[in-house]
Amino acid sequence: MSFISHRINLIKPSPTLAVAAKAMEMKQSGLDVINLGVGEPDFDTPVNIKNAAKKAIDEGFTKYTAVDGTRELKDAVVRKFKNENKIEYDLNQVMVSNGGKQAIYNALLATLNPEDEVLIPAPYWVSYPDMVLLAGGRPVILETKPENNFLLLPEQLEVAINKNTKWIFINSPSNPTGAIYSQANLSALAQVLIKFPHVLILSDDIYEHLIFDGEEFYNIVNVEPRLKERTIIVNGVSKSYSMTGWRIGFAAGNKEIISAMVKIQSQVTSNPCTISQKAAVEALAGDQSFLATNLETFQRRKNLVHKMINEIPGLSCGEIDGAFYAFVSWRLFHDKKTPNGKVMASDNDFANYILEEALVAVVPGVAFGLSGYFRMSFALDDHVVTEACNRIKRACEKLN
Ligand code: PLP
């Protein structure tokens, strides 16, 4: 007999967190493991932001707030969208949640009925399909191709839409590939979406500030304002401001959907942490110079990783346009053997081999819905990233 619900049996634990746990276990047993499995910047949260949180505690700002965030933070979110994205929202069109993750889950729970389908381009962020399943919907995976830089093509979108389609997810820059939808890419998708007014769009902009080589960020609302009423934009302070542990995300869009999302949050978690909200106000409204310094560092590491990985015979990685991940093809090692005779037959085989032989933790591509790859984060110090690439190279040289 199991006490566990059918719904829970539909989902799996987050694979990226599982890799992190295994790497941590190996570390604790004394092994010098480099963990490239995690999705968080290595920088400390900026001092001005930490000070705002300390001040909140000292001033007793430690009680419940409005479920959808304080007026002060919601004002800062509205201003952020206006100034950075040129999109105007009223206060009742935005809400603050416990990380971008909760905002996405709220949006799904608020809208999905049984039979509803959610179109998810693969490779995708690991949590999307499981969140859809938890919320009672059906994830429909649309596989993208490396030759299209892992971007969803408008013709693919058009044939995938049917009467049950409720959402399309767009994540740019993408986790795990770093791919970015340009204005032209978004405009082509928008032309399809305009024809299907029953489809909602979830624009996950969480890596907005991590865009390389001077490229600019756009989301689908910038490109096609007629889609604003049926787009929910999700963003947050986790990645941009090195605040993953503070758990502040936000969503903006259709006020009926936002209000349903707030209703769910009111019954499930109430407001996001009061102290973190004060910190997030400082992140969004305070000194922004951290963003440029941060980006410069990531740009340098991106160049380093891209070069080092592509110099390893058998591995390859296309352009990395944003975020802090390389999505690396290991296909040429398929069916090759380790010195112990173990055949490389799957992403898990390859990632396990790299973990055990090179002591480098990476995430198997299958976790993101596309096999033949692994994802490595480069949100670590340059010398650590260099050492990890050298170790991966030596491990690859032993396969034949
Ligand atoms: N969206 C994407 C694509 C992500 O990679 C993440 C975190 O890894 C999130 C959303 C959620 O971020 P958080 O809940 O930490 O704000």
Side-chain angles (χ1 to χ4, degrees):
M1 189 183 81
S2 169
F3 293 116
I4 305 307
S5 68
H6 299 317
R7 185 182 291 128
I8 293 303
N9 288 329
L10 290 175
I11 66 163
K12 55 187 183 318
S14 162
T16 41
L17 299 182
V19 169
K22 185 162 178 199
M24 182 62 74
E25 210 176 279
M26 288 173 72
K27 251 187 177 162
Q28 277 163 356
S29 74
L31 293 166
D32 169 28
V33 174
I34 300 177
N35 186 1
L36 304 184
V38 285
E40 63 181 354
D42 55 324
F43 314 118
D44 198 2
T45 304
V47 171
N48 60 316
I49 298 175
K50 292 203 284 194
N51 285 341
K54 288 179 190 164
K55 187 159 173 274
I57 296 175
D58 289 342
E59 291 179 356
F61 194 72
T62 54
K63 304 287 172 61
Y64 292 132
T65 70
V67 169
D68 54 342
T70 59
R71 172 70 194 255
E72 186 188 24
L73 180 51
K74 287 181 59 178
D75 278 338
V77 169
V78 166
R79 269 199 309 277
K80 175 252 175 297
F81 280 114
K82 183 164 191 260
N83 298 339
E84 291 186 350
N85 308 106
K86 313 285 172 268
I87 308 174
E88 307 238 5
Y89 290 109
D90 295 331
L91 280 173
N92 61 6
Q93 293 177 300
V94 301
M95 74 168 301
V96 182
S97 53
N98 294 279
K101 212 170 202 174
Q102 191 187 21
I104 298 170
Y105 187 55
N106 281 340
L108 292 172
L109 214 51
T111 52
L112 290 181
N113 290 314
E115 310 293 309
D116 282 352
E117 296 183 356
V118 178
L119 305 181
I120 304 176
Y124 46 70
W125 178 41
V126 293
S127 295
Y128 293 152
D130 291 80
M131 285 189 187
V132 171
L133 289 168
L134 259 187
R138 266 201 236 148
V140 175
I141 308 303
L142 307 179
E143 213 170 272
T144 64
K145 294 201 159 52
E147 56 269 32
N148 300 325
N149 198 20
F150 298 111
L151 297 176
L152 182 70
L153 303 179
E155 50 273 27
Q156 249 182 309
L157 174 62
E158 181 138 18
V159 295
I161 295 177
N162 62 40
K163 67 176 183 7
N164 292 328
T165 308
K166 192 66 165 265
W167 288 94
I168 163 77
F169 275 33
I170 301 175
N171 173 216
S172 172
S174 145
N175 174 4
T177 66
I180 289 175
Y181 286 83
S182 67
Q183 256 180 314
N185 300 136
L186 290 168
S187 165
L189 294 180
Q191 279 177 33
V192 175
L193 289 164
I194 282 290
K195 293 192 266 182
F196 300 98
H198 67 291
V199 179
L200 297 167
I201 301 127
L202 191 131
S203 180
D204 182 344
D205 299 0
I206 199 111
Y207 294 99
E208 169 185 10
H209 290 293
L210 293 164
I211 294 200
F212 303 125
D213 305 314
E215 291 300 314
E216 274 196 54
F217 173 80
Y218 295 95
N219 60 34
I220 202 151
V221 180
N222 299 132
V223 171
E224 180 46 270
R226 283 180 294 169
L227 293 175
K228 182 178 171 198
E229 260 306 289
R230 51 188 170 105
T231 301
I232 296 287
I233 298 179
V234 172
N235 207 326
V237 295
S238 298
K239 315 286 177 174
S240 300
Y241 299 93
S242 246
M243 292 177 71
T244 46
W246 298 75
R247 312 307 305 131
I248 296 289
F250 43 87
N254 178 299
K255 77 171 187 296
E256 190 193 354
I257 298 176
I258 293 286
S259 134
M261 290 164 66
V262 176
K263 192 169 163 190
I264 296 166
Q265 193 161 294
S266 79
Q267 295 292 16
V268 180
T269 58
S270 302
N271 62 275
C273 169
T274 309
I275 300 151
S276 297
Q277 289 193 63
K278 277 285 186 190
V281 169
E282 177 61 23
L284 295 178
D287 179 14
Q288 299 294 302
S289 55
F290 176 78
L291 295 178
T293 324
N294 195 6
L295 182 61
E296 217 173 279
T297 308
F298 277 123
Q299 171 85 49
R300 197 179 60 239
R301 292 174 184 170
K302 185 276 278 189
N303 294 346
L304 183 72
V305 163
H306 188 257
K307 179 166 179 292
M308 288 192 80
I309 287 294
N310 282 305
E311 280 171 1
I312 301 176
L315 294 185
S316 62
C317 167
E319 273 315 316
I320 306 168
D321 296 327
F324 40 66
Y325 309 103
F327 200 57
V328 182
S329 167
W330 65 272
R331 278 164 202 255
L332 293 180
F333 288 111
H334 205 273
D335 290 336
K336 295 261 171 18
K337 285 190 185 145
T338 70
N340 297 334
K342 170 109 183 69
V343 178
M344 296 289 101
S346 70
D347 289 348
N348 287 328
D349 290 341
F350 193 81
N352 275 331
Y353 172 66
I354 294 295
L355 181 56
E356 280 156 22
E357 177 65 32
L359 297 181
V360 176
V362 297
V363 187
V366 65
F368 307 95
L370 199 66
S371 291
Y373 298 86
F374 64 85
R375 187 197 79 174
M376 54 183 277
S377 155
F378 49 85
L380 289 167
D381 216 73
D382 297 26
H383 77 270
V384 180
V385 171
T386 306
E387 169 63 13
C389 290
N390 283 331
R391 288 189 193 181
I392 293 173
K393 178 165 188 260
R394 287 196 294 274
C396 286
E397 282 164 358
K398 291 185 189 162
L399 293 170
N400 66 57

